[in-house]
Amino acid sequence: MDIVLYCLAIVIAAVITGLLGYFMVPFLHKIKFGQTIREVGPSWHKNKQGTPTMGGIMFILGAGVTVFILGWSFMLEGVFWHLYVYLFALIFGLIGFVDDYRKVRQHQNEGLTAKQKFVLQLLAAVVFLCLMRYEGLLTNDLYIPFVNVTLTVNWIVYLIFAAFVIVGCVNSVNLTDGIDGLASSVTAVVMAFFMGTAMIWKFTTLGIFSSALCGSLLGFYALYNRHPAKCFMGDTGSLFLGGAVAALAFAFDMPLVLIPVGIIYILETLSDIIQVGYFKATHGKRFFKMAPLHHHLERCGWSEVKIVTVFVSITAVFCLLAYLFLSLLYFLYCQYNDLLCILKNLRLIQVIGICIFCHSPCCFNCLIKPAALWQQIHATVADCSAYKYTDQICFFGRLL
């Protein structure tokens, strides 16, 4: 069962990440790869100066090893979805690595310029989207969650939209990584959402990646990143996480689901945009005490632990709502799909329904004798072993 595979992925990834950190944190201390706190940053963060950074390598490797181990059998069958998502996120992780490396070597909190980051991220997004389209994993149908509306968009317009959504998502996650354990804990919840979505929609390989990253983040947070943090993930980790979240949204072909599940990323980014816009419009006044949002709350007296707890709770609530909605859609889809299948078998309609369980035009060869009507209903339902709504269909059969 998928749930066993996903639980195994969580455990393996968490253990690998924990073991890597046991050796990596002292090594980062030894080579003096410590975080440099910006002069314009929060003054109360000065005591974090020198904390090892680039810890994102731990969960990147932890998730990667797990994905390859548990996804190997799928790759032998020619299924590479999980590999595409991982490699795409890894490209962003490499961009972050270069940025982090320049920071620690120059002993400043400035690495790559904003323009350099943007160009590299945009290029990576375009390559990923072209690959997904080439493999047939991407459509130009824009699904709007909660409204249950799908819009077909011109391919060029959709690709431009998708590229900027990916870049925006990546940088939003990067912006969220401002206090101990915030980005890692929030993103672990988002990965749990994608794992659940993969479970109900039968995207097993994407579920392996989601659960592996969820487990590695839990291991990283619990052992090294929770307050007071022993190690920061750096841009290496935060850009990788942003790439993973964006890639999964497009791999599931529902990018707008990022609005509810990534609510914290959006609020953090909006607070920064509002702050900058208000500052320029009022010639020096500030809307927030400090941006992004988590620093404003710190200025209001919230502890880092309280901020992380509240933000994780908000993310969990919105992810749960999105998951319940997708589960409802799946339930209705099952009802509709199997009802079509039964009606076709009974020769009451001419439309051929495709069963999502056995993937055949109909679940049972049509019987010719009208007297076999009741037996046919039972045989049709029983033939689809994964069917779970027998009572409702049998009641429908009695009405017939």
Side-chain angles (χ1 to χ4, degrees), residues 121 153 185 200 244-245 336:
Q121 291 171 4
V153 184
S185 57
I200 60 175
V245 171
Y336 170 77

Side-chain angles (χ1 to χ4, degrees), residues 48 176-189 221-222 225-229 264 268 293-295 297-298 302-316:
K48 299 182 180 184
T176 305
D177 183 36
I179 59 176
D180 297 349
L182 183 57
S184 56
S185 57
V186 167
T187 308
V189 176
Y221 171 79
N225 197 229
R226 64 188 176 90
H227 185 74
I264 293 301
E268 292 274 37
L293 183 60
H294 56 262
H295 287 327
L297 295 175
E298 281 187 289
W302 288 34
S303 67
E304 292 189 38
V305 174
K306 182 179 180 180
I307 294 171
V308 170
T309 303
V310 171
F311 280 22
V312 167
S313 300
I314 293 172
T315 302

Side-chain angles (χ1 to χ4, degrees), residues 118-175:
F118 177 77
V119 171
L120 290 172
Q121 291 171 4
L122 189 61
L123 180 62
V126 171
V127 171
F128 171 74
L129 291 169
C130 291
L131 176 63
M132 293 289 283
R133 186 186 177 190
Y134 175 78
E135 292 290 336
L137 305 178
L138 186 70
T139 69
N140 58 335
D141 294 328
L142 189 61
Y143 175 71
I144 304 175
F146 300 107
V147 183
N148 197 25
V149 173
T150 301
L151 302 176
T152 301
V153 184
N154 176 273
W155 262 114
I156 296 178
V157 174
Y158 184 82
L159 290 174
I160 294 173
F161 158 80
F164 281 96
V165 167
I166 290 174
V167 173
C169 178
V170 169
N171 286 286
S172 295
V173 177
N174 179 245
L175 199 61

Side-chain angles (χ1 to χ4, degrees), residues 44-255:
W44 56 92
H45 283 194
K46 289 296 183 182
N47 61 344
K48 299 182 180 184
Q49 182 88 13
T51 302
T53 188
M54 301 173 72
I57 295 174
M58 300 179 205
F59 59 76
I60 292 174
L61 293 177
V65 172
T66 306
V67 165
F68 272 91
I69 292 174
L70 298 182
W72 183 253
S73 60
F74 294 95
M75 287 188 282
L76 292 177
E77 296 173 0
V79 180
F80 299 99
W81 294 16
H82 55 308
L83 188 61
Y84 293 152
V85 172
Y86 178 75
L87 292 178
F88 173 71
L90 186 61
I91 291 173
F92 281 93
L94 289 174
I95 296 172
F97 178 84
V98 173
D99 192 41
D100 283 336
Y101 186 79
R102 293 184 63 173
K103 289 177 185 177
V104 296
R105 280 304 180 192
Q106 297 172 5
H107 299 288
Q108 296 178 358
N109 201 21
E110 297 293 340
L112 295 173
T113 65
K115 182 180 290 187
Q116 289 172 333
K117 285 184 182 179
F118 177 77
V119 171
L120 290 172
Q121 291 171 4
L122 189 61
L123 180 62
V126 171
V127 171
F128 171 74
L129 291 169
C130 291
L131 176 63
M132 293 289 283
R133 186 186 177 190
Y134 175 78
E135 292 290 336
L137 305 178
L138 186 70
T139 69
N140 58 335
D141 294 328
L142 189 61
Y143 175 71
I144 304 175
F146 300 107
V147 183
N148 197 25
V149 173
T150 301
L151 302 176
T152 301
V153 184
N154 176 273
W155 262 114
I156 296 178
V157 174
Y158 184 82
L159 290 174
I160 294 173
F161 158 80
F164 281 96
V165 167
I166 290 174
V167 173
C169 178
V170 169
N171 286 286
S172 295
V173 177
N174 179 245
L175 199 61
T176 305
D177 183 36
I179 59 176
D180 297 349
L182 183 57
S184 56
S185 57
V186 167
T187 308
V189 176
V190 175
M191 287 300 117
F193 162 79
F194 282 120
M195 180 182 68
T197 304
M199 198 178 303
I200 60 175
W201 287 104
K202 311 300 181 185
F203 289 110
T204 305
T205 54
L206 294 180
I208 291 174
F209 174 81
S210 302
S211 53
L213 187 52
C214 179
S216 60
L217 285 173
L218 290 175
F220 178 69
Y221 171 79
L223 296 175
Y224 308 108
N225 197 229
R226 64 188 176 90
H227 185 74
K230 299 176 183 177
C231 186
F232 298 141
M233 68 173 67
D235 282 0
T236 304
S238 60
L239 292 184
F240 175 87
L241 293 182
V245 171
L248 282 170
F250 280 95
F252 281 105
D253 210 9
M254 47 182 184

